[in-house]
Each structure stands twice: as structure tokens, then as C-alpha cells.
Amino acid sequence: MNVATLLFMGPSVPYHVLDYAISWARENEGSLHALFIVPKKMPEEGYPFPSDLDEAENITTEIDAVKGIREILKTETRFIEKRANASHIPLRSEILFSPSMEQILARVNQSEIIFTDKNADENPEQMEE
């Protein structure tokens, strides 16, 4: 069976990539492998309200952030599963935290095609350790 890998950098899913992959799997009687690559350090976002920055820093810890990322990944994975099931496409999902290039290549090695967001390389520093 033909396998397509959906390669996602970080916890979010570019839905247009999912649509292309599902169409490909339908046309080629294939299956999908959703592979989330989560870098060791997620990019930081600015905080828009500097007047209460001290209070906000005490509310969220790094542990809270990791839990949040895991919850987002669960939600996105369920969404992909529902979309694949609705199209009768077999799906396997996997999440790798701070993987080496060898680990990534081992996961995508059997894929006939890899789908990813064309803008995924806009922040190459995200994959640095």
C-alpha cells in the first residue's frame, strides 16, 4: 500500500496540507502517517500587556507550557483521525520530541510522498538544539 507522510513542524496542523494528503491517499488508495516534530525549544511569543507581566510570569511555568503543547497535539491528532476516517483512509499518528535527523528519516523512509507546509522552513532556528 502507498504511504504518504504528513510532516508537521510543531503542534499545529496546516489544514490545506491535510486536505492535499487526503486527496492523494484517496486517489492512490494509500494510507497516511501523521508525524509531528516538536523541537526542544518552542519559539517564544511576546506578551502584549507589559503592565501585568510579573503576574503573568507566575501563572505559567514551563511545565504548563509542555502540558499545553501535549493537549494541542492530542486535539490536532483527533481532528486528523476524524478527517481520515471520514474519507476511509488508514492513518497512523506519531509525535517525536526533539528527534535527531536519523530518527526522522527512519520514520519517513517508507513513504512514497511527504506532505509539509511550504512555509515550514521560515523559522529554521526552531529545530536547533
Side-chain angles (χ1 to χ4, degrees):
M1 179 181 274
N2 299 324
V3 178
T5 295
L6 291 131
L7 186 60
F8 301 122
M9 302 303 201
S12 63
V13 173
Y15 299 115
H16 63 281
V17 174
L18 177 59
D19 293 338
Y20 283 122
I22 287 175
S23 293
W24 180 90
R26 240 187 271 128
E27 291 171 10
N28 293 279
E29 298 178 3
S31 65
L32 298 177
H33 174 210
L35 179 60
F36 289 90
I37 306 297
V38 183
K40 187 173 192 171
K41 183 174 180 176
M42 294 298 293
E44 294 183 16
E45 295 183 14
Y47 188 71
F49 306 106
S51 62
D52 65 349
L53 185 58
D54 292 334
E55 290 87 10
E57 286 178 341
N58 293 330
I59 295 172
T60 305
T61 65
E62 190 169 331
I63 293 170
D64 294 330
V66 170
K67 285 181 186 177
I69 290 170
R70 289 184 188 277
E71 285 302 313
I72 292 169
L73 287 166
K74 273 202 266 185
T75 301
E76 295 288 24
T77 300
R78 279 193 301 258
F79 177 78
I80 294 170
E81 288 170 354
K82 286 179 184 178
R83 292 285 310 277
N85 286 338
S87 296
H88 308 289
I89 305 293
L91 172 77
R92 179 172 59 100
S93 297
E94 189 174 11
I95 301 166
L96 298 177
F97 289 89
S98 303
S100 67
M101 187 56 68
E102 291 80 21
Q103 290 172 312
I104 296 170
L105 290 173
R107 300 309 198 285
V108 301
N109 197 13
Q110 302 301 315
S111 299
E112 183 171 323
I113 189 169
I114 298 172
F115 292 92
T116 192
D117 188 12
K118 69 179 182 176
N119 298 321
D121 63 350
E122 285 183 355
N123 300 304
E125 71 280 357
Q126 289 181 11
M127 293 308 291
E128 294 177 5
E129 293 188 277

